[in-house]
């Protein structure tokens, strides 16, 4: 087994958690100090990271570590440096940015999602490098804004940095499951425009709220139809069409029929469901009886469906088996990750695997088992060795 710096990876995770890298401009916070810490660690090891801003002050940090062992594939390790807000402090029993270790767990915002995973990618690559020459190379990437619009991953793709990459391991917390599939997300905004009128004389207006009613009923039927046509995926479950925001009228103006009503819809898809077709069907449902409907696509992240036979998945599964002594468990990512962007827009097969529980992300008292960080670092190092040597 490749020897990893167990103490180093845990301490580096603590140092990352102690940086409050939420994207919160009002408090002067973003992921930059965390990205700088990653960059400094890379330089300490003699790597030459390239820093490129995905948005002003929001850097991606990318280092290419050449194996020096001849021709071979390129493996990408990916992590993000931003975290979601800590939320209401009174719901935490630990300091969210303390990086405290207690009861074998490392606590704090980002401990699972995904500073431990990011640290594991760095220390795994370093361990492999110190173990001797290897074929090909590893691209170690710490990207910005995964929790927002995934600006970091989109920027990475737009800079052409996916060229020549043969596979990516995304270190999100998946409780040790190997997730080569991820749900798709389609977020829509529907603006229904009618004609404003006095509530006492509705005959002179066209009420968009009535169109909202039929749209909501129609969305139920659309969901039933999609679920019937696309049976539940073994790892991803069902397609969902969920209205989440409704905006119309004013509480101060109960006697006014508003001109416009807006409905926001969060659609979650599985492989096979076409986003374009779903958006078109929502548009058809929304247009009725003198009300015009405009459908805007706010977010369009297709589902990911990488076969388990893909070399990057196979190498990871073989590494999991040899390091943990356990059979790999395959799962699915309920949301989307930077892997969605890398696979769909960058054309790279991606797989998600990392330390920390699937459901602990974004919650109060987030934690990761210390032992899991070290084990995952070993799995990453072994997965890289196998992938780059074609041994899977
Ligand atoms: Zn994450």
């Amino acid at each position: 087994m490749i020897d990893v710096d167990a103490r180093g990876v845990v301490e580096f995770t603590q140092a990352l958690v102690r940086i409050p890298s939420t994207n919160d401009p009002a408090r002067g916070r973003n992921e930059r100090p965390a990205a700088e810490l990653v960059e400094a660690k890379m330089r300490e090891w003699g790597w030459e990271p390239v820093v490129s801003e995905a948005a002003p002050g929001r850097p991606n940090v990318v280092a290419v570590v050449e194996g020096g062992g001849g021709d071979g594939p390129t493996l990408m390790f990916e992590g993000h440096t931003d975290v979601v807000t800590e939320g209401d402090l009174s719901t935490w029993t630990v300091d969210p940015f303390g990086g405290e270790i207690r009861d074998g767990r490392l606590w704090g915002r980002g401990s699972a999602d995904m500073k431990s995973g990011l640290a594991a990618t760095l220390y795994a690559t370093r361990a492999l490098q110190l173990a001797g020459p290897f074929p090909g190379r590893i691209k170690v990437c710490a990207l910005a804004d995964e929790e927002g619009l995934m600006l970091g991953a989109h920027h990475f793709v737009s800079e052409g940095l996916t060229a020549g990459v043969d596979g990516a391991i995304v270190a999100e917390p998946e409780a040790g499951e190997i997730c080569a599939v991820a749900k798709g997300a389609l977020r829509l905004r529907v603006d229904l425009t009618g004609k404003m009128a006095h509530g006492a004389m509705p005959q002179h207006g066209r009420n968009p709220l009535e169109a909202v009613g039929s749209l909501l009923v129609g969305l139920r039927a659309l969901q039933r139809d999609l679920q019937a046509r696309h049976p539940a995926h073994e790892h991803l479950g069902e397609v969902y069409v969920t209205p989440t925001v409704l905006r119309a009228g004013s509480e101060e103006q109960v006697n006014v029929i508003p001109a416009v009503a807006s409905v926001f819809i969060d659609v979650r898809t599985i492989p096979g469901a076409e986003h374009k077709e779903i958006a078109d069907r929502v548009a058809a449902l929304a247009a009725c009886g003198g009300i015009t409907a405009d459908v805007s696509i706010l977010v369009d992240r297709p589902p990911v469906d990488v076969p388990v036979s893909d070399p990057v998945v196979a190498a990871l599964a073989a590494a999991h088996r040899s390091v943990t002594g356990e059979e790999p468990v395959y799962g699915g990512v309920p949301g989307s990750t930077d892997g969605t962007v890398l696979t769909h827009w960058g054309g790279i097969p991606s797989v998600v695997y990392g330390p920390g529980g699937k459901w602990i992300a974004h919650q109060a008292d987030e934690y990761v088992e210390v032992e899991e960080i070290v084990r995952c670092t070993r799995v990453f190092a072994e997965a890289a060795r196998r992938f780059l040597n074609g041994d899977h």
Side-chain angles (χ1 to χ4, degrees), residues 111-265:
S111 54
D113 187 8
M114 58 180 291
K115 288 173 166 173
S116 55
L118 175 60
T121 66
L122 266 82
Y123 277 77
T125 305
R126 181 62 177 162
L128 190 62
Q129 186 180 37
L130 292 177
F134 57 85
R137 62 205 58 76
I138 303 176
K139 208 169 214 181
V140 186
C141 308
L143 305 186
D145 191 48
E146 194 273 344
E147 303 289 4
L149 296 171
M150 303 185 171
L151 296 175
H154 282 290
H155 180 69
F156 182 87
V157 171
S158 73
E159 281 191 303
L161 297 182
T162 51
V165 176
D166 299 287
I169 294 175
V170 176
E172 293 279 2
E174 300 296 347
E177 288 181 7
I178 294 177
C179 299
V181 290
K183 260 189 142 159
L186 175 67
R187 284 179 211 145
L188 302 173
R189 171 186 177 140
V190 184
D191 292 309
L192 298 153
T193 306
K195 185 166 176 277
M196 188 173 160
H198 197 298
M201 294 168 280
Q203 70 275 22
H204 297 305
R206 286 193 302 280
N207 192 347
L209 285 171
E210 287 169 13
V212 168
S214 51
L215 173 60
L216 295 181
V217 172
L219 291 177
R220 267 293 187 73
L222 175 60
Q223 175 176 286
R224 270 197 305 275
D225 179 62
L226 290 168
Q227 289 180 345
R229 277 174 50 212
H230 306 285
H233 186 282
E234 62 170 326
H235 301 310
L236 300 175
E238 307 253 40
V239 176
Y240 291 114
V241 179
T242 309
T244 49
V245 179
L246 178 56
R247 222 157 52 193
S250 153
E251 281 179 46
E252 282 75 46
Q253 305 267 287
V254 179
N255 60 344
V256 175
I257 294 171
V260 181
S262 302
V263 180
F264 292 68
I265 306 161

Side-chain angles (χ1 to χ4, degrees), residues 80 82-83 112-114 146-147 170-173 336-338 361-362:
H80 61 84
D82 60 322
V83 295
D113 187 8
M114 58 180 291
E146 194 273 344
E147 303 289 4
V170 176
E172 293 279 2
S336 24
T337 71
D338 281 342
H362 302 193

Side-chain angles (χ1 to χ4, degrees), residues 76-93:
M76 171 173 177
F77 274 128
E78 197 268 355
H80 61 84
T81 45
D82 60 322
V83 295
V84 295
T85 176
E86 69 278 24
D88 181 359
L89 269 182
S90 72
T91 60
W92 287 76
T93 63

